[in-house]
Amino acid sequence: MLRSLQDKVTVLPGIGEKKEQLLSKLGIRTLEDLLHWFPRRYVDRRKVWQIRHAPEGEEVCVCGVVAQQPTTAYPRKGLSTTRLRVFDRSGLLYLTFFNQAYTAGRLKVGESYIFCGKIERMGQRLSMTNPVYEPEGVGEMTGRIVPVYPLTAGISARQLAEWIDMAVESTALPEDLPQEVRLAYGLAERNWSIQTIHRPDSFENLNRARERLVFEELFYLTAGLELLHARRSEGQGFLCRPLLTERYEKLLPFTLTGAQRRTLEEIFRDQASGKIMNRLVQGDVGSGKTAVAAGAVWQCVHSGGQCALMAPTEILAVQHYHTLTELLTPDGIRVGLLTGSSKAAEKREVKQQLAEGTLDLVVGTHALLSDGVEFAHLGLVVTDEQHRFGVEQRSALSAKAGARKPHVLVMSATPIPRTLALIIYGDLDVSVIGERPPGRQDVDTFLVGEDKRQRMMGFIRKQVQEGHQAYVVCPAVEESEDMPVPLKNATDHARALQQAFPDLRIGLVHGRMKSKEKEQIMDAFLQGEVDVLVSTTVIEVGVDAPNATLMVIEDADRFGLSQLHQLRGRVGRGKAKSFCVLVSSTKNEETRQRLKALCSTNDGFKIAEKDLELRGPGDFFGARQHGLPQLQMADLACDTRILYQAREAAQQLLTEDPTLAKPEHRVVLDRTRRLFEENPDIFN
Ligand code: ADP
Ligand code: MG
């Protein structure tokens, strides 16, 4: 009997109220949901080995005849062991089941069963513990490629597999990719693919099915983002006068790099086009994104627009405020600062000036998003280090402009692999600053253990003696009792360094300090009044002190690769040779390899790819932070080729039918809408 995809799971035998609830915890409510509950992995149980010849240590299937009535013992409370022997032509196998006394009643002497598990050898004796088994010839759990599903407590693997099988058998999924797309990319049919994902008959077919489903997922996602992009750019943008980058450059203490100039020209063109700019500027740490952002502001203000620049941390906002004030006020541009810790009177004044239109640029943190911040004529919104914000926050600031949407410029360092950037920033045009200012050298990076601490201390002193400054980053603020292994904490470490270097000026900054204090210390460091700044990761993003040449990171194994790269990016910003020392005593080989990857390259892209590979995209931004739909099937670290194809297909479809108005594209529109259902804010 064919059932509807929207039928509740309770139509299946064995699913009552209780199981229904458990399933709904997994988000499974309908048969369609069951079909889209994909296996986490597969085990190949097609081959049946002879007991003596099966490889040891990996999961194998053997076919054995039960040689004796199983016996069950209860060695202690809560533990039962059921033992028996089985044999085939090649030999004997000892089986042990823990806490599965019921197996004794199921395994009949003299009958054949398939047992799957790992074979272990002790001398001549072969054994297997807790195997999966079924009578020979049944072919449900064995004899095929068996899917392994993610589970929840209260539902067994066997049950879930059975229900999914029933759903597969009793439904038929309609094809929903446009025929021309399916043919152009040689994709398998939808229904076949779903069936094959759940019951693959070969790994080749499994791959074909997976490819189709990944494509489908990425196709709808990118189609949605394209629509979003189109909608973002709808309407008239703040019209800027076309200005020359050369004029702006006169304000700068340096000449722009080629990449900076190209990027700026793109921005100038966007802002003078009459359309709304939505542009991402991607550039590795130290590539000089601030000067580009300042240029965009300069053009906008010169055309009578107001600008807002939002930074993810207070330290960075304050620093930008100083840099931009210095750069832009000589040209008559009025700059203000607004953060959570600005004094009430200051806040009031800045807000008033923004509303009146007497302030041209406001620099701030997400305090800029708060109520009561209004602009007279907002023309441009810049967010720095965008990967720290979600998509919604970016939109929220634009919304401040009222009916007329401002230009949007997003600055981001590259610890975003290209694939992920395509998704997260799929709604933006992208400029890449792939070049660093002249005279920059790579930061030499070393991994050292505790045994090298004395030498490292000598190195800190040497850098300071040469007139430079150093950062020392610790993973914790202060001593904590709940850490199993004590981590270096900034507070104690600063004290220890002061004792070791009584003649040096040691500073301390961390997130729990008051903003004013933080600001004072950062200021002192920027002015060269502090030699060594001990801190937590509050200095991770954006901070720019070109005289600092040494970055020491304590307990470096505690940090992610991209984070370490960002931290390292705090040095190597001036002309002098810079160094980064990763201190870690970890014995974990994988962690050491990870840290070594950082020693071997300064290329943010490469590091980001590696990080994505090691940690997966979920961790990259804190799963939901970016506000985009979760991917069920696609793996952005591996599915790059399919991503590009799916995106190309989606773009082509939308060129032909920009609003998906044609009847045959109705399904595409529906699916895309549904995909973004949970995030209506970004899709309206
Ligand atoms: P990021 O891209 O990490 O935000 P910044 O904008 O903070 O980088 O710039 C890093 C440093 O390089 C700053 O000290 C800045 O003044 C300097 N800088 C930027 N562009 C140039 C350039 N074209 N020539 C020389 N120095 C530059
Ligand atoms: Mg920056």
Side-chain angles (χ1 to χ4, degrees):
M1 181 179 72
L2 215 53
R3 293 190 184 278
S4 151
L5 290 165
Q6 296 316 316
D7 276 355
K8 292 255 158 31
V9 285
T10 45
V11 301
L12 297 178
I15 305 188
E17 209 175 300
K18 203 166 142 236
K19 300 284 178 193
E20 183 190 15
Q21 269 184 9
L22 289 171
L23 284 172
S24 84
K25 265 202 276 174
L26 300 176
I28 302 176
R29 292 182 184 84
T30 61
L31 296 188
E32 184 169 14
D33 296 337
L34 265 181
L35 294 181
H36 287 93
W37 191 254
F38 295 130
R40 190 156 32 95
R41 60 189 180 90
Y42 297 85
V43 282
D44 188 354
R45 295 201 184 125
R46 286 175 300 180
K47 183 170 168 65
V48 176
W49 293 83
Q50 296 210 325
I51 291 174
R52 278 279 141 201
H53 304 132
E56 286 163 44
E58 59 188 78
E59 209 202 74
V60 292
C61 296
V62 296
C63 181
V65 178
V66 175
Q68 56 170 168
Q69 184 56 39
T71 56
T72 299
Y74 297 87
R76 58 181 159 78
K77 199 163 181 279
L79 178 68
S80 74
T81 57
T82 303
R83 295 178 195 278
L84 69 149
R85 283 175 304 172
V86 301
F87 64 89
D88 67 6
R89 277 188 311 175
S90 73
L92 208 56
L93 180 65
Y94 289 76
L95 302 181
T96 308
F97 294 90
F98 290 107
N99 288 343
Q100 296 181 38
Y102 52 84
T103 53
R106 291 198 183 156
L107 293 169
K108 303 270 184 303
V109 179
E111 298 199 357
S112 297
Y113 299 86
I114 309 281
F115 299 96
C116 300
K118 280 186 191 158
I119 292 197
E120 284 161 273
R121 177 190 290 274
M122 282 272 280
Q124 280 301 300
R125 182 175 160 143
L126 299 177
S127 65
M128 200 183 256
T129 308
N130 288 343
V132 171
Y133 63 91
E134 68 184 1
E136 189 187 4
V138 169
E140 268 176 23
M141 307 290 285
T142 69
R144 60 188 185 106
I145 301 172
V146 178
V148 180
Y149 294 98
L151 291 175
T152 184
I155 293 180
S156 73
R158 207 179 274 234
Q159 266 177 333
L160 188 60
E162 263 173 36
W163 293 329
I164 290 176
D165 265 357
M166 286 186 230
V168 168
E169 246 157 59
S170 61
T171 57
L173 278 169
E175 180 56 63
D176 61 0
L177 276 180
Q179 171 91 349
E180 69 263 27
V181 171
R182 220 164 59 67
L183 293 180
Y185 295 90
L187 299 168
E189 272 177 21
R190 184 166 181 227
N191 200 44
W192 179 88
S193 301
I194 287 283
Q195 287 181 352
T196 304
I197 275 293
H198 293 295
R199 332 165 125 186
D201 52 3
S202 69
F203 282 101
E204 295 76 61
N205 279 341
L206 184 58
N207 278 341
R208 266 177 61 84
R210 189 177 173 280
E211 179 159 325
R212 143 79 207 214
L213 295 171
V214 169
F215 187 101
E216 173 184 321
E217 188 165 41
L218 294 172
F219 176 80
Y220 290 114
L221 182 60
T222 44
L225 290 167
E226 289 292 322
L227 285 173
L228 188 60
H229 185 186
R231 188 153 322 173
R232 278 262 161 74
S233 320
E234 242 168 46
Q236 276 189 358
F238 185 86
L239 188 60
C240 292
R241 286 196 286 147
L243 295 175
L244 293 177
T245 51
E246 287 75 24
R247 253 189 76 194
Y248 165 64
E249 212 168 351
K250 293 212 178 78
L251 296 174
L252 295 169
F254 44 74
T255 47
L256 294 168
T257 62
Q260 282 172 317
R261 182 168 304 115
R262 261 194 311 281
T263 302
L264 210 48
E265 277 164 5
E266 282 171 335
I267 293 171
F268 280 11
R269 217 175 304 132
D270 284 353
Q271 295 198 120
S273 72
K275 298 210 187 99
I276 300 170
M277 170 172 76
N278 279 291
R279 186 169 289 280
L280 165 70
V281 173
Q282 254 198 334
D284 208 347
V285 282
S287 60
K289 294 184 290 293
T290 317
V292 169
V297 168
W298 175 82
Q299 185 197 27
C300 183
V301 173
H302 271 280
S303 307
Q306 284 177 301
C307 306
L309 188 147
M310 185 162 71
T313 67
E314 197 150 331
I315 287 179
L316 189 51
V318 170
Q319 178 191 291
H320 277 328
Y321 170 70
H322 290 311
T323 312
L324 294 171
T325 305
E326 200 173 316
L327 187 66
L328 298 174
T329 40
D331 202 40
I333 294 176
R334 297 159 295 186
V335 187
L337 175 70
L338 187 70
T339 69
S341 60
S342 304
K343 288 210 191 70
E346 288 167 4
K347 278 189 195 158
R348 212 174 313 122
E349 194 183 339
V350 168
K351 284 182 191 172
Q352 194 184 344
Q353 288 174 341
L354 285 176
E356 283 169 355
T358 48
L359 203 56
D360 302 310
L361 166 65
V362 63
V363 181
T365 54
H366 49 263
L368 290 175
L369 302 176
S370 58
D371 284 343
V373 180
E374 273 160 37
F375 296 83
H377 31 77
L378 182 59
L380 167 68
V381 168
V382 185
T383 36
D384 193 22
E385 305 295 346
Q386 163 70 31
H387 61 287
R388 291 304 177 114
F389 295 107
V391 177
E392 294 115 56
Q393 278 165 313
R394 197 203 307 156
S395 316
L397 191 52
S398 306
K400 295 260 172 206
R404 284 205 95 164
K405 289 183 277 183
H407 297 297
V408 171
L409 185 63
V410 168
M411 322 296 291
S412 180
T414 43
I416 304 159
R418 284 206 66 74
T419 43
L420 209 52
L422 278 183
I423 299 279
I424 295 181
Y425 301 126
D427 58 328
L428 302 172
D429 297 315
V430 180
S431 307
V432 176
I433 309 186
E435 179 187 350
R436 283 184 293 176
R440 296 294 163 76
Q441 308 162 43
D442 276 354
V443 178
D444 282 355
T445 306
F446 306 95
L447 174 59
V448 305
E450 275 307 318
D451 52 322
K452 298 267 167 54
R453 185 165 291 280
Q454 275 320 311
R455 272 184 68 183
M456 189 186 73
M457 294 291 273
F459 195 55
I460 295 182
R461 175 171 285 284
K462 181 157 166 276
Q463 290 300 312
V464 174
Q465 270 167 356
E466 286 172 8
H468 298 304
Q469 292 164 283
Y471 295 97
V472 178
V473 174
C474 303
V477 175
E478 47 197 29
E479 197 174 354
S480 151
E481 292 186 347
D482 19 287
M483 288 319 267
V485 191
L487 291 178
K488 276 266 178 294
N489 73 77
T491 314
D492 289 344
H493 198 51
R495 210 172 292 136
L497 281 176
Q498 188 67 77
Q499 270 166 13
F501 300 125
D503 55 323
L504 299 191
R505 296 161 301 178
I506 312 287
L508 170 67
V509 63
H510 57 71
R512 292 205 207 135
M513 284 164 61
K514 290 223 177 67
S515 307
K516 263 276 158 313
E517 280 177 273
K518 274 193 272 189
E519 208 177 302
Q520 275 165 4
I521 299 284
M522 288 312 295
D523 232 32
F525 189 68
L526 290 175
Q527 301 302 322
E529 291 156 12
V530 165
D531 301 310
V532 180
L533 183 63
V534 182
S535 82
T536 55
T537 52
V538 289
I539 56 136
E540 179 185 339
V541 287
V543 173
D544 182 34
N547 190 43
T549 52
L550 174 59
M551 166 62 68
V552 177
I553 304 172
E554 298 283 350
D555 292 314
D557 45 283
R558 289 281 148 169
F559 301 97
L561 271 189
S562 294
Q563 202 178 10
L564 290 169
H565 179 63
Q566 278 288 316
L567 284 168
R568 173 170 65 178
R570 298 310 113 222
V571 297
R573 301 185 145 245
K575 289 230 153 51
K577 181 81 202 157
S578 292
F579 305 90
C580 175
V581 180
L582 308 172
V583 188
S584 167
S585 326
T586 183
K587 297 268 179 316
N588 182 320
E589 196 42 42
E590 213 179 296
T591 311
R592 294 187 65 82
Q593 286 309 320
R594 201 160 58 91
L595 295 174
K596 288 223 175 100
L598 208 72
C599 300
S600 66
T601 180
N602 268 259
D603 182 334
F605 271 117
K606 286 203 188 119
I607 290 164
E609 302 280 351
K610 190 90 198 153
D611 213 15
L612 178 68
E613 194 184 300
L614 291 170
R615 294 196 298 165
D619 272 18
F620 224 88
F621 295 92
R624 299 217 132 231
Q625 193 197 344
H626 51 72
L628 293 172
Q630 294 291 85
L631 295 171
Q632 283 185 306
M633 180 62 84
D635 176 350
L636 293 175
C638 320
D639 293 324
T640 321
R641 178 183 56 83
I642 307 181
L643 172 62
Y644 283 112
Q645 290 184 344
R647 183 161 169 264
E648 178 188 77
Q651 280 170 342
Q652 193 176 348
L653 187 75
L654 285 164
T655 326
E656 285 161 27
D657 184 6
T659 56
L660 297 179
K662 292 192 186 151
E664 68 266 33
H665 295 150
R666 181 81 222 177
V667 272
V668 178
L669 186 62
D670 285 349
R671 273 271 320 244
T672 308
R673 281 238 170 88
R674 251 194 296 150
L675 187 63
F676 285 84
E677 218 162 45
E678 281 180 39
N679 308 280
D681 300 352
I682 66 167
F683 202 63
N684 57 23

